[in-house]
Amino acid sequence: MALVCVSDYEKKASEILPKTPWDYYRSGAGAELTLKLNESAYKRIRIRPRVLIDVSKRNTKCNLLGIDLNAPILIAPTAMQKMAHFDGEMATAKAAGNFNTIYTMSTLSTCSIEEVENAAPGTNKFYQLYIYKDRELTKNLICRAEKAGFKALVLTVDAPIFGQRRSDVRNKFELPSHLRLANFTDEKLFVQSAGGSGISEYVSAQFDATLNWNDVQWLVNFSKLPVILKGIMTYEDASLALKTGCKGIIVSNHGARQLDTVPATIEVLPEIVKAVGSQIPVMVDGGIRNGTDVFKALALGAKAIFVGRPILYGLAVNGEKGVESILNILRDELDSAMALAGITNISEINKSFIVHESNFCVSKL
Ligand SMILES: Cc1cc2nc3c(=O)[nH]c(=O)nc-3n(C[C@H](O)[C@H](O)[C@H](O)COP(=O)(O)O)c2cc1C
């Protein structure tokens, strides 16, 4: 059967991946309330279509931080992609280049920075950074990303420890023995279970849980690359972020993998857009599975969106081509939503094109 939408790829990936990696990719933290919310919150927003507008020529192209893109649909950093496909991060980065979007590489990758750069030299790439207790090791990662031509650092600020991911604990998650976190050579930086979730144990041992706004300032000053903060969920933190000199914000709850019962990202996007105004781009990820979701996020002020799990599903099903298919599906669905809502250009999408379902309560009619 032809796979025509993201959920088709999700279903197929669930059938072909072994249980432990599937659970690792799919799951969220705690009772997974926010995991469901990230997707369902989009369903509560309706599109208000305008008609009788010439939409024969349309364009999903946009520019982000000086980079021209095919569509405002970017690839979020997701760890350990070789569990999905033997080409792992190299395949994902190549697909991003073919589609002309940005690939964000996770610190916890199973291909090295240099392997990805060699495999996809023409692709625009961001490097997602976790700050390790070992600052020299952290600096080394930053310098390698700069040398390899990455265009920005995406500092993840919502992971002083990892969230309670129950299925990883049940599965005693660890990387299959033939795989390694490829940017590290030291054996203590491998992901092995000591009885619980190996990745959670790794993070507690290695990541710097003292991380605070002074460290962001340190990074902005140390790195030659623009710094984007990923994991902002309140207008208070967005306002603090502005003072650091960072060049972008990603509204993210880490795909609902950190603190369960936080809001869906689309629910908090408006307060953050309001706090930031047009000073720096605000982006969003979490629960985006349809082109109409992309449309709604842009209508609420996001300059671009990132997708996490759908990319892993595409990768698992058909490697580089599967990732490209996911990107094309989302772009085509966005293009279709634009045409049918009476829009020809990304920049025309605004709040007037959406309405929340609560406006249709009987008491308000
Ligand atoms: C399997 C998996 C691994 C992830 N690994 C990382 C990571 O290494 N660094 C990071 O900042 N975010 C990581 N994330 C979070 C994503 O960057 C992104 O915020 C999230 O996946 C977006 O939600 P979505 O999967 O619903 O699109 C991961 C998410 C998943 C599902």
Side-chain angles (χ1 to χ4, degrees):
M1 204 180 63
L3 305 179
V4 301
C5 60
V6 169
S7 61
D8 286 350
Y9 276 87
E10 177 169 356
K11 185 162 179 295
K12 185 84 186 164
S14 76
E15 288 160 8
I16 59 180
L17 281 171
K19 180 172 167 41
T20 297
W22 166 251
D23 280 350
Y24 173 72
Y25 289 152
R26 180 213 62 83
S27 64
E32 301 189 337
L33 182 123
T34 299
L35 184 67
K36 294 179 193 88
L37 208 55
N38 267 353
E39 287 187 37
S40 63
Y42 278 99
K43 301 194 171 95
R44 296 193 199 110
I45 302 168
R46 317 276 192 258
I47 296 176
R48 301 180 65 241
R50 302 296 307 276
V51 295
L52 293 173
I53 292 163
D54 176 357
V55 291
S56 55
K57 293 190 188 68
R58 300 180 303 280
N59 193 343
T60 60
K61 292 190 172 37
C62 67
N63 184 287
L64 187 77
L65 298 168
I67 305 170
D68 286 324
L69 304 172
N70 182 3
I73 300 168
L74 281 62
I75 298 185
T78 53
M80 302 183 261
Q81 298 189 354
K82 277 197 176 177
M83 291 194 306
H85 188 272
F86 53 82
D87 286 337
E89 289 82 2
M90 294 186 291
T92 309
K94 279 199 238 174
N98 300 341
F99 179 80
N100 191 24
T101 188
I102 294 166
Y103 163 69
T104 312
M105 180 176 187
S106 165
T107 294
L108 304 177
S109 56
T110 40
C111 297
S112 70
I113 293 171
E114 293 76 16
E115 280 174 316
V116 168
E117 175 52 16
N118 287 338
T123 300
N124 288 305
K125 294 180 281 295
F126 290 172
Y127 186 73
Q128 178 268 326
L129 185 71
Y130 284 124
I131 296 196
Y132 283 68
K133 289 176 186 163
D134 182 342
R135 238 357 120 86
E136 288 311 309
L137 181 131
T138 311
K139 285 186 191 166
N140 175 269
L141 290 172
I142 299 166
C143 294
R144 283 167 65 191
E146 287 174 356
K147 194 161 166 236
F150 283 62
K151 298 266 167 74
L153 290 180
V154 172
L155 177 67
T156 300
V157 295
D158 60 11
I161 61 169
F162 260 13
Q164 298 280 330
R165 304 173 191 169
R166 293 173 185 170
S167 34
D168 292 349
V169 179
R170 283 187 199 110
N171 293 337
K172 300 191 190 341
F173 174 86
E174 57 186 9
L175 260 178
S177 56
H178 65 288
L179 298 179
R180 294 276 176 273
L181 293 187
N183 286 317
F184 309 99
T185 46
D186 189 339
E187 207 169 310
K188 70 177 191 295
L189 294 164
F190 297 169
V191 179
Q192 282 156 346
S193 169
S197 160
I199 189 65
S200 187
E201 292 160 3
Y202 173 94
V203 167
S204 297
Q206 301 300 335
F207 290 7
D208 187 354
T210 71
L211 204 70
N212 60 63
W213 290 102
N214 294 331
D215 299 300
V216 177
Q217 203 61 70
W218 165 79
L219 181 66
V220 168
N221 295 335
F222 176 78
S223 172
K224 298 189 189 83
L225 299 175
V227 173
I228 296 169
L229 298 189
K230 171 174 183 282
I232 301 288
M233 285 292 285
T234 60
Y235 74 86
E236 292 94 327
D237 281 343
S239 304
L240 290 172
L242 287 176
K243 295 188 192 143
T244 64
C246 73
K247 295 288 187 276
I249 286 175
I250 306 174
V251 177
S252 174
N253 53 30
H254 213 111
R257 294 161 78 79
Q258 289 295 88
L259 178 58
D260 194 24
T261 80
V262 300
T265 47
I266 194 67
E267 293 173 327
V268 297
L269 177 65
E271 71 175 61
I272 292 167
V273 167
K274 193 169 163 209
V276 172
S278 55
Q279 298 182 63
I280 53 173
V282 175
M283 297 152 274
V284 67
D285 73 19
I288 293 166
R289 302 291 180 265
N290 303 282
T292 48
D293 301 337
V294 182
F295 184 99
K296 291 168 189 179
L298 300 180
L300 284 169
K303 285 278 169 288
I305 65 92
F306 288 77
V307 268
R309 292 179 185 82
I311 297 297
L312 293 169
Y313 301 153
L315 185 65
V317 171
N318 199 15
E320 177 185 338
K321 289 284 155 242
V323 173
E324 225 178 305
S325 299
I326 293 287
L327 293 167
N328 280 316
I329 285 170
L330 289 172
R331 196 213 77 91
D332 291 350
E333 289 180 353
L334 171 64
D335 177 64
S336 162
M338 286 167 60
L340 297 172
I343 286 179
T344 57
N345 204 295
I346 290 290
S347 61
E348 293 166 31
I349 304 176
N350 65 49
K351 244 185 188 166
S352 73
F353 287 93
I354 53 166
V355 59
H356 192 265
E357 72 174 11
S358 58
N359 287 280
F360 300 120
C361 286
V362 176
S363 60
K364 290 189 185 165
L365 291 177

